[in-house]
Amino acid sequence: MGSVGPGTRGCTTDPDGGDGSVNCLTDNATVYYYMDSSGAFELETPDRNAVKSTMSSEYAPTQLVIHYHTNPVFSGRGETDIVYQEGSKNLSENSLGVTWCNDGSDPDLAKFECDQQYVRIRGNGVYDTSIACHETGHAVGLVHGANASPSKGNEDPKLGCMIRTGWNNDLGANNVTNINAVY
């Protein structure tokens, strides 16, 4: 099938990666996102531009309907789907970014859906379109090649920006096809 899919376990809820789970899908095809604009996890202008570029050039052309949420919702029904942050808290020494589900326990959600996900990417020039594309991919259910079905090498060019290492700004036709099939 490709690289969209939740696998066999529940959503990643621990930003440290300690729960051993997988990333999950947003809860529907209409994706509202927000970029932290103050405090410890604020995105500076270049980082905000990387996210905006990724959302408009890579994800908006898919079946996903992308909207920026100027008034984010952090609790209850209709939470903002993806919250982007900058910072190294909860990132291992070798990790550039992490995606986790903040609200996957809602009984109305399917097993591998998440109402609100956080994307945190290391700062100091690391926040670019390739990393934003990669971590957003996790938020919409894309996985690394070894976790894909059928399994692919982690550096398979069909994975686009979902390759495990190296930098690729392009979502890739395979991932677009998989997103469109799921949403």
Side-chain angles (χ1 to χ4, degrees), residues 169-183:
N169 298 332
D170 183 28
L171 186 56
N174 184 64
N175 289 334
V176 170
T177 298
N178 290 323
I179 288 171
N180 292 343
V182 170
Y183 290 96

Side-chain angles (χ1 to χ4, degrees), residues 110-129:
K111 183 175 182 180
F112 296 108
E113 289 182 344
C114 182
D115 193 31
Q116 184 170 64
Q117 297 195 59
Y118 279 76
V119 168
R120 186 170 300 150
I121 297 175
R122 190 176 303 280
N124 299 324
V126 172
Y127 222 118
D128 66 15
T129 53

Side-chain angles (χ1 to χ4, degrees), residues 9-170:
R9 296 167 285 180
C11 300
T12 299
T13 57
D14 178 1
D16 292 315
D19 60 8
S21 297
V22 296
N23 295 103
C24 287
L25 308 166
T26 57
D27 57 353
N28 61 64
T30 303
V31 176
Y32 285 89
Y33 73 99
Y34 173 72
M35 297 177 281
D36 247 348
S37 59
S38 64
F41 301 117
E42 176 182 1
L43 276 71
E44 289 85 14
T45 299
D47 310 324
R48 297 174 71 78
N49 291 339
V51 173
K52 287 178 193 176
S53 174
T54 295
M55 297 306 273
S56 66
S57 65
E58 300 303 323
Y59 289 92
T62 69
Q63 292 293 330
L64 298 172
V65 180
I66 305 296
H67 299 282
Y68 184 72
H69 217 175
T70 55
N71 296 307
V73 178
F74 294 102
S75 63
R77 291 277 181 217
E79 290 179 311
T80 302
D81 296 298
I82 306 172
V83 176
Y84 291 89
Q85 299 179 326
E86 178 185 321
S88 59
K89 184 175 188 216
N90 301 108
L91 292 177
S92 68
E93 183 178 317
N94 297 324
S95 179
L96 299 178
V98 64
T99 302
W100 73 94
C101 180
N102 185 52
D103 191 4
S105 61
D106 185 332
D108 293 334
L109 294 176
K111 183 175 182 180
F112 296 108
E113 289 182 344
C114 182
D115 193 31
Q116 184 170 64
Q117 297 195 59
Y118 279 76
V119 168
R120 186 170 300 150
I121 297 175
R122 190 176 303 280
N124 299 324
V126 172
Y127 222 118
D128 66 15
T129 53
S130 64
I131 305 299
C133 182
H134 184 95
E135 292 303 328
T136 301
H138 286 312
V140 300
L142 298 173
V143 295
H144 299 135
N147 301 106
S149 178
S151 183
K152 296 181 180 356
N154 282 333
E155 301 305 317
D156 189 313
K158 292 179 183 169
L159 296 173
C161 66
M162 295 308 295
I163 58 176
R164 187 88 165 149
T165 60
W167 314 118
N168 185 339
N169 298 332
D170 183 28

